[in-house]
Structure formats: structure tokens, C-alpha cells
């Protein structure tokens, strides 16, 4: 059983765990530095700004004391051990004014008023009255002056924590993004490497655009998971933990009131993902389909324009685009209706509870907390909702990333071909098919195929479309393995030879060769370090490519765009021949390499073919029978069976299917046109071993496999 998506993402994240841990450590430091602010503010309010109402005592020591009417007074909590305290006095704030009371005050809790030189304090049913004198602004400032050094220290400490949080935020962002880039690079590399190991038949029914979307769009969405989502959720969780610690440190009872927020957030995330995952799965699927249709349209742009199918293709694209927009709008509605509304409701509800608490007094019936604690509590509680907003806003990205990761891992879970290190010596090319039967699905497209190709021989495969020619080559390359029978190379069963070893000594030239972006020389060597520049140039000269490529400004270093679209068919074909020659295969497959070439170029390519075939076992898939007259043996396929076997002269003398096909192509027969048409119709009818559907299936599967073979050189 394979691990779930989250666990597999964690395994990738652990590959960059050092930078992730460093980022999370800096994140924790930054959160702690930010949360220090409310505590500093509380200390500033309670210990300095409002502490002026604490008891003051007369003192003989002028240091740190306040001079009022020629007498020195000092706050009671600032007397040193052993220092004598004199008469107690109190300062009382009523409105914006301060009053001096020259005697102890029992309590300042309750409602305060100043009338006729008396400060009256009413606390419940009790009333206390104290003679008082109103202080001038300079007197009030004098009492505040000793508080300034402490306030300056707290401001400096706040600035220090602010600098720490700035550097922590920078380091967190840098390391988090750096580690995310490492993870996505590794994931993207693994996906691409796995694509290289997937069997050829996997791509038969999967559009290239969908594969590209997995490697690019989906992995980019996973990158957002590690950068934006992880950053917001990690900072959010650490912030919330820090906030709750701060809340309980400020006031245990108020901390308990705020506990309801955490479970609501957890439940909300679970419910949100249930709905959002359904939408995001469709969104990512539609995006893949859009990429696929764009890729297909670009590849077939000439056909679309020739047959004037622009409107139809546009309609198909618009249908997908509309569906994509519909589900994007659903996600937008989901996010708009819930995320900010939820956070706003939670915040307002939390503040209402706090106000109710202060409205009814403390839960235990004691006194209400100080103004500094209240300010710090509201500040800290407000700070908790900022990361919650960040987390809720990232829920859409979280779900998109998880859906994308699931799609990527689904591709990576497709069984791939095993990679075997090492290589085998170049074999001679003695090929034997022994009672081979093969089916792509359930209907056999090859039945009891038996023949032998000796080293150096040329074997031609002829027959109508769907007769099984390309299927034989697919089995030889081990793109597929037969259900019955065996294939031997130099006496060894091909299923006992690792696929990479087997293909190392095989080469193929397709009717429509595939060239990669690069140069002519790089398309010959395919970047193989074992193929030197001298070998590349020698191969090009031997096949006569220098004659067709001599006019190019940069010669063999001429740039080649994707598929070699700036080169002629003959130039592409000769480059493909040189590629096969440079790799020096023991077995060579030619898929009617001259069918699309003009007569003048064909003569050059025919000479190249003779050079290429020397010393190699060569298989030719022939459509133009005039090109295989010199083949050592010709296999005539019909409905997946070898119906005729021999040289050109032998088969012509036999007067069977091969002769009729040859005469139809050469025009030497005197048959009536109607008879010829009937014969062609019968041949087309014979394409399928059992049914037209099976023929279409076989034909559809053969060509992509051979195209892939060409890409592998």
C-alpha cells in the first residue's frame, strides 16, 4: 500500500530538512519577538504610565525622587532595602487632572469625583473622602520625569525586538523558499526521470499536453504549497501557540475564554477541504485538457488551417475554458463566502466575550484586571487573527497543491520499466522469431510468426496497414513482449535481456524522422559523450549529408528548431541516417525512409542506405516495393500472419499476394481498373485480423511506439 499524498510530500520535504528546520526556527524567533511587543506595552502602561497612582513616600534621598513643595517623594516600590519611608501620599487622576492627597488612601477602585477640595471615592456602598490639591502641569510632569528612563529602555527593547523580527522574517522567507525550490526541483526531476522509464504504450492514449501539465503546472502548484501554504500555516500555528501562551500569561481566565477559536478553525479546515477538493480536482483536470488541446493545435496548425478547422478547434477550446471558468468561479464563491466572514465573525465574537467578562467583573468575583493587561490582551488577541486570516486565505492553495500532488504521484505510481546498470557487448544481430503471437488488448494482431534473420541480412516486411509490420518491430525493441512464443537475438531470449542493454545496439530511421532542438551535430550524437565530433562529421559525410547541408551558413553547427521544421525532408532524413550510423547499431530498422523524398534526394539516400546497412542486420518496413528488390528475404504479412516468404524473384515466381501488390504499384498488370479497385478494397478489408476496430487499434499503437524509438536513437 502506497503512502498518502501528505506523507509523500513530507518525505520530499525531509530531503531539505536542514533549511526547513532553520526557516521554522527563525519563524519561531520572529513570532516570539513580535509577541514581546504587547508585554512591553503592558509594562509601559502598568509600571510607568499608570503607576503614578501607586503610593509615594517622603524621603531624604533626592536620587530618583520628586520634589514637591520643597519635600522629596519616591514611589514605594523604588525604595532600596533599609531606606527609611516617611509620610505616605497619593496622586489621583480624575478626568484629565491630577490631585495630590497628603495621606494614605484605602482604595482607589470605584467612581472618583473632586468637589470642594475633596476627592470622593465611591466603591459599591462605601464612600471615602480625602482632602486634595490639584496639581499643575509642571508638577505632574515632575512626578512623571522619573518614569522616563524606564520608558526609554522599554522603547529601546521594543526596537531591538523589531529588528530581530525583521531579520528573522528575511531568513525565514529566504530559507523557506530555498528549501521549497530544492524540493520541487527534486520532485520535478523524479517525475521527468520516471516518465523516461514509463513503457511506450503508456503514451499511446495519453496526450502529451497532459503529461507536460503534470511536470510543469502541477509541480509549480506544489511549490506554492511549500512556499506560501507552509509559510502561512507554520507561522500561523506558531503564532497561535505563542498567542495562547501569552494570553494565559496575561490572565488565565481570559485565556480560557479564547480557547474556543482553535477547534473552530480545525473543523472549518476539514469541512472546507471536503468541498474544495472536488472543485480543484476538476479544475486541475480541465487545465491539463487545455494544455493538451493547445499542444495538439500547435503541432497540427498547418492541418487545421488547410482544412479550415479554426472555428471548430476554437469551439472545443472554449468549451473546456468555460468549464474551467465555471469551477474557478465556484472556488471563488466558496472562498468569498467563507474565509473573511469566518475570521471576522470569530474576531467579533471573541471581543464580545472579553467585553462581557469586563462588564460582569472577573469570573472568580475578584477585581477587574489592569488597563495594561486589558490593552495587552486585546493586542495579543488581535494578533492571533492575522495569522488565522493568512491560514484561511491559503486554504484554496493548500487544496490545489494537494490535488496537484496527488496527480503527480499518480503518474509516478505508474509501473515503469526497470533500469539496469551496465551494458552488454555488441551482439552480432542473429534474430529469430519462434511461434510469436501478440495482442495489444484481447485480439491478436500477430499469429504464429516464425522467421530467422542472419547477421548482415536485410529483411523486408510488407503488407497493408494493420497487417502487423510495425508490431514485429515493437516486439523486437521490447516496447511490448509477446503473449506466446519467443524472440531470440544471438541465441538469447530477448525477455532475459534488460531492455536498455538490448536497445543499445539497435537503431531506427523513421519515415518522418524526429529532430530535437539544438544543432545538426547534436542531433547526430544526441549528447552522447562517447560519440566524438570527428565521428559525427564522419557519419554525416558517409551518408552524403554534407552535399545537402553544405549551403547552410553554420554547416553542421546550424541551429535546429523543434522537429527540424526549418530543414527539408531530405535533410532531416540524412541527419537521421547519420545518427543511426554514429551509434553503430547491430540491428537497424528502416521505416520506408525514402517514401517522402524527391527523386534527386532519393538517389543520395539510397547510397546512404547501402552504407548504413553494411555489416548490420536490417529490417525494412516497405511500402514502395521497388525499394526492397535486393532484400535477402521478404516477409509478406496478412492479418497478422506471414503468408509468403522469400526473395523478390522467388515471390514474383510464386505469383501470389506479393506479385499482385508489386504489379499494382509498378503498373505492369493489364487488369481492368475495376479489378484493381476491387483488389485494393479487398486489401483494405484485410487490414484487420478480426475486425475494423482491431485494425484501428493496431495501427494507432504501432506508430507512436516507433516514433518513440526514434527519440531513443
Amino acid at each position: 500500500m502506497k503512502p498518502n499524498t501528505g506523507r509523500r510530500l513530507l518525505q520530499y520535504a525531509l530531503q531539505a530538512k536542514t533549511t526547513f528546520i532553520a526557516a521554522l526556527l527563525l519563524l519561531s524567533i520572529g513570532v516570539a519577538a513580535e509577541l514581546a511587543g504587547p508585554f512591553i506595552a503592558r509594562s509601559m502602561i502598568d509600571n510607568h504610565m499608570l503607576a503614578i497612582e501607586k503610593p509615594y513616600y517622603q524621603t531624604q534621598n533626592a536620587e530618583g525622587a520628586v520634589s514637591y513643595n520643597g519635600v522629596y517623594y519616591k514611589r514605594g516600590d523604588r525604595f532600596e532595602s533599609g531606606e527609611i519611608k516617611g509620610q505616605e501620599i497619593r496622586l489621583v487622576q480624575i478626568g484629565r487632572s491630577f490631585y495630590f492627597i497628603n495621606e494614605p488612601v484605602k482604595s482607589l477602585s470605584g467612581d472618583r469625583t473632586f468637589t470642594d477640595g475633596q476627592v470622593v471615592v465611591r466603591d459599591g456602598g462605601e464612600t471615602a473622602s480625602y482632602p486634595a490639591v490639584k496639581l499643575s502641569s509642571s508638577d505632574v510632569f515632575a512626578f512623571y520625569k522619573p518614569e522616563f528612563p524606564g520608558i526609554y529602555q522599554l522603547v529601546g527593547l521594543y526596537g531591538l525586538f523589531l529588528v530581530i523580527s525583521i531579520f528573522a522574517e528575511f531568513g525565514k522567507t529566504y530559507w523557506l523558499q530555498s528549501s521549497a525550490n530544492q524540493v520541487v526541483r527534486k520532485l520535478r526531476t523524479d517525475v521527468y526521470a520516471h516518465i523516461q522509464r514509463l513503457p511506450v504504450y503508456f503514451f499511446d492514449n495519453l496526450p502529451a499536453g497532459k503529461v507536460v501539465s503534470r511536470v510543469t503546472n502541477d509541480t509549480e502548484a506544489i511549490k506554492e504549497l511549500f512556499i506560501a501554504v507552509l509559510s502561512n500555516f507554520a507561522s500561523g500555528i506558531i503564532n497561535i501557540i505563542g498567542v495562547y501562551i501569552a494570553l494565559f500569561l496575561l490572565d488565565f481566565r481570559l485565556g480560557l475564554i479564547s480557547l474556543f477559536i482553535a477547534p473552530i478553525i480545525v473543523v472549518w479546515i476539514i469541512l472546507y477541504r471536503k468541498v474544495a477538493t472536488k472543485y480543484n480536482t476538476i479544475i486541475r483536470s480541465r487545465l491539463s485538457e487545455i494544455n493538451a488541446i493547445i499542444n495538439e493545435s500547435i503541432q497540427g496548425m498547418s492541418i487545421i488551417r488547410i482544412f479550415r478547422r479554426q472555428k471548430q478547434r476554437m469551439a472545443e477550446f472554449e468549451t473546456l475554458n468555460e468549464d474551467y471558468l465555471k469551477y474557478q468561479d465556484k472556488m471563488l464563491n466558496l472562498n468569498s463566502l467563507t474565509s473573511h466572514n469566518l475570521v471576522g465573525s470569530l474576531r467579533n465574537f471573541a471581543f464580545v466575550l472579553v467585553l462581557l467578562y469586563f462588564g460582569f467583573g472577573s469570573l472568580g468575583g475578584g477585581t477587574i484586571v489592569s488597563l495594561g493587561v486589558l490593552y495587552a490582551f486585546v493586542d495579543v488577541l488581535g494578533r492571533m487573527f492575522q495569522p488565522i486570516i493568512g491560514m484561511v486565505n491559503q486554504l484554496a492553495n493548500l487544496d490545489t497543491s494537494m490535488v496537484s500532488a496527488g496527480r503527480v504521484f499518480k503518474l509516478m505510481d505508474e509501473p515503469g520499466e526497470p533500469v539496469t546498470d551496465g551494458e552488454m557487448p555488441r551482439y552480432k544481430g542473429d534474430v529469430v522469431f519462434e511461434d510469436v503471437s501478440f495482442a495489444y488488448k484481447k485480439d491478436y494482431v500477430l499469429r504464429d510468426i516464425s522467421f530467422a534473420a542472419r547477421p548482415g541480412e536485410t529483411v523486408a516486411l510488407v503488407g497493408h496497414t494493420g497487417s502487423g509490420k510495425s508490431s514485429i518491430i515493437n516486439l523486437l525493441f521490447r516496447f511490448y513482449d509477446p503473449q506466446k512464443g519467443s524472440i531470440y537475438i544471438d541465441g538469447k531470449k530477448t525477455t532475459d535481456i534488460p531492455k536498455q542493454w538490448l536497445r543499445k545496439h539497435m537503431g531506427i530511421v523513421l519515415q518522418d524522422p524526429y529532430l530535437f532542438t539544438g544543432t545538426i551535430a547534436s542531433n547526430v550524437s544526441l549528447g552522447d559523450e562517447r560519440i566524438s565530433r570527428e565521428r559525427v562529421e564522419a557519419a554525416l559525410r558517409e551518408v552524403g549529408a554534407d552535399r545537402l547541408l553544405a549551403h547552410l551558413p553554420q554547416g553542421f553547427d546550424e541551429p535546429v528548431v523543434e522537429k527540424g521544421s526549418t530543414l527539408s525532408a531530405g535533410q532531416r532524413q540524412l541527419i537521421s541516417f547519420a545518427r543511426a550510423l554514429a551509434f553503430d547499431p547491430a540491428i537497424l530498422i528502416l521505416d520506408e525512409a525514402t517514401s517522402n523524398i524527391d527523386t534527386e534526394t532519393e538517389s543520395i539516400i539510397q547510397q546512404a542506405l547501402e552504407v548504413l546497412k553494411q555489416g548490420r542486420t536490417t529490417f525494412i518496413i516497405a511500402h514502395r516495393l521497388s525499394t526492397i528488390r535486393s532484400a535477402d528475404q521478404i516477409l509478406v504479412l496478412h492479418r497478422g500472419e506471414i503468408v509468403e516468404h522469400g526473395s523478390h524473384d522467388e515471390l514474383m515466381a510464386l505469383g501470389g499476394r506479393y506479385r499482385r501488390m508489386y504489379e499494382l504499384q509498378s503498373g505492369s498488370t493489364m487488369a481492368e481498373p475495376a479489378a484493381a479497385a476491387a483488389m485494393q478494397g479487398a486489401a483494405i478489408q484485410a487490414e484487420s485480423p478480426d475486425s475494423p476496430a482491431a485494425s484501428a487499434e493496431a495501427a494507432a499503437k504501432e506508430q507512436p511506439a516507433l516514433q518513440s524509438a526514434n527519440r531513443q536513437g
Side-chain angles (χ1 to χ4, degrees), residues 509-577:
V509 178
L510 289 174
Q511 179 178 344
D512 184 18
Y514 194 96
L515 299 186
F516 297 91
T517 302
T519 64
I520 291 173
S522 69
N523 268 282
V524 174
S525 66
L526 293 180
D528 195 324
E529 296 178 355
R530 295 169 298 182
I531 300 178
S532 65
R533 175 70 181 205
E534 292 76 16
R535 187 172 173 184
V536 168
E537 293 181 357
L540 285 165
R541 283 193 297 269
E542 285 182 43
V543 300
D546 53 336
R547 283 178 280 174
L548 284 183
L549 303 174
H551 69 283
L552 298 176
Q554 300 182 49
F556 296 152
D557 292 315
E558 182 72 15
V560 176
V561 299
E562 184 183 3
K563 298 178 72 176
S565 57
T566 57
L567 301 174
S568 69
Q571 289 171 331
R572 294 198 301 271
Q573 199 64 277
L574 285 175
I575 294 171
S576 183
F577 283 151

Side-chain angles (χ1 to χ4, degrees), residues 347-557:
R347 180 174 54 214
N348 295 335
F349 189 53
F351 285 142
V352 166
L353 285 180
V354 173
L355 291 175
L356 286 175
Y357 172 80
F358 282 102
F360 291 106
S362 63
L363 296 176
T367 58
I368 298 178
V369 294
S370 70
L371 183 59
V373 171
L374 174 61
Y375 172 85
F377 185 86
V378 173
D379 189 355
V380 171
L381 194 61
R383 288 170 185 258
M384 179 168 67
F385 286 99
Q386 193 60 38
I388 290 176
I389 291 173
M391 291 169 64
V392 171
N393 286 345
Q394 289 299 324
L395 285 178
N397 287 336
L398 169 65
D399 199 73
T400 298
S401 301
M402 295 301 288
V403 170
S404 295
R407 286 162 50 82
V408 171
F409 289 135
K410 182 179 179 181
L411 178 63
M412 295 179 69
D413 289 338
E414 292 289 339
E417 297 177 344
V419 176
T420 306
D421 294 331
E423 58 184 47
M424 67 185 299
R426 186 177 186 273
Y427 41 73
K428 296 177 182 179
D430 187 359
V431 179
V432 176
F433 274 62
E434 189 176 277
D435 299 324
V436 171
S437 295
F438 169 68
Y440 288 104
K441 290 184 179 177
K442 61 180 180 179
D443 297 317
Y444 280 102
V445 296
L446 293 176
R447 291 185 177 85
D448 299 323
I449 300 295
S450 296
F451 68 89
R454 302 307 171 194
E457 281 190 351
T458 297
V459 178
L461 306 175
V462 301
H464 297 291
T465 302
S467 59
K469 304 184 298 297
S470 296
S471 295
I472 289 177
I473 303 305
N474 288 340
L475 294 178
L476 191 58
F477 271 109
R478 281 202 69 194
F479 293 141
Y480 304 88
D481 287 323
Q483 283 82 11
K484 297 179 182 178
S486 301
I487 304 171
Y488 299 90
I489 295 180
D490 288 0
K492 293 183 180 179
K493 212 172 186 179
T494 56
T495 51
D496 296 334
I497 304 173
K499 295 178 180 180
Q500 292 81 12
W501 295 11
L502 183 76
R503 295 168 189 162
K504 176 177 173 57
H505 304 297
M506 291 184 180
I508 189 167
V509 178
L510 289 174
Q511 179 178 344
D512 184 18
Y514 194 96
L515 299 186
F516 297 91
T517 302
T519 64
I520 291 173
S522 69
N523 268 282
V524 174
S525 66
L526 293 180
D528 195 324
E529 296 178 355
R530 295 169 298 182
I531 300 178
S532 65
R533 175 70 181 205
E534 292 76 16
R535 187 172 173 184
V536 168
E537 293 181 357
L540 285 165
R541 283 193 297 269
E542 285 182 43
V543 300
D546 53 336
R547 283 178 280 174
L548 284 183
L549 303 174
H551 69 283
L552 298 176
Q554 300 182 49
F556 296 152
D557 292 315

Side-chain angles (χ1 to χ4, degrees), residues 64-261:
V66 179
S67 176
Y68 176 71
N69 290 339
V71 181
Y72 288 106
Y73 298 97
K74 187 187 292 187
R75 254 176 52 183
D77 56 354
R78 290 182 176 167
F79 277 80
E80 295 181 0
S81 177
E83 191 174 355
I84 299 173
K85 295 180 179 179
Q87 170 69 31
E88 178 183 346
I89 63 100
R90 297 293 288 272
L91 301 181
V92 179
Q93 181 180 5
I94 301 176
R96 295 185 178 181
S97 301
F98 284 84
Y99 300 88
F100 181 89
I101 301 175
N102 194 24
E103 61 180 276
V105 175
K106 182 179 180 182
S107 174
L108 291 177
S109 299
D111 184 31
R112 309 172 187 177
T113 58
F114 178 76
T115 306
D116 299 330
Q118 297 283 325
V119 170
V120 180
V121 181
R122 295 181 179 84
D123 186 7
E126 298 183 2
T127 301
S129 179
Y130 306 95
V133 178
K134 184 178 180 180
L135 295 175
S136 66
S137 299
S138 59
D139 291 334
V140 174
F141 181 78
F143 276 97
Y144 268 116
K145 196 171 181 180
E147 309 299 327
F148 288 165
I151 291 175
Y152 292 151
Q153 288 181 359
L154 291 174
V155 170
L157 188 61
Y158 181 82
L160 175 63
F161 281 121
L162 184 62
V163 171
I164 291 173
S165 69
I166 290 172
F167 279 100
E169 177 67 21
F170 170 79
K172 179 264 294 185
T173 303
Y174 177 82
W175 276 339
L176 199 60
Q177 293 201 15
S178 174
S179 52
N181 288 332
Q182 293 178 43
V183 169
V184 173
R185 177 189 59 81
K186 180 67 169 66
L187 178 60
R188 194 169 282 165
T189 300
D190 288 350
V191 174
Y192 186 77
H194 187 71
I195 289 173
Q196 300 293 319
R197 292 194 296 269
L198 289 174
V200 172
Y201 57 78
F202 175 81
F203 302 98
D204 291 349
N205 299 312
L206 186 67
K210 289 192 174 184
V211 180
V212 171
S213 184
R214 304 279 178 95
V215 182
T216 55
N217 295 344
D218 287 332
T219 53
E220 195 64 25
I222 296 172
K223 179 181 175 182
E224 287 302 308
L225 169 69
F226 286 108
I227 292 178
V229 178
L230 178 62
S231 174
N232 277 277
F233 270 79
S235 76
I237 291 171
I238 293 174
N239 261 294
I240 290 172
I241 293 173
V243 163
Y244 272 117
I245 292 173
L247 290 176
F248 277 98
L249 288 176
L250 286 169
D251 189 277
F252 182 80
R253 293 159 297 181
L254 289 177
L256 288 176
I257 291 177
S258 308
L259 280 178
F260 76 94
I261 298 172

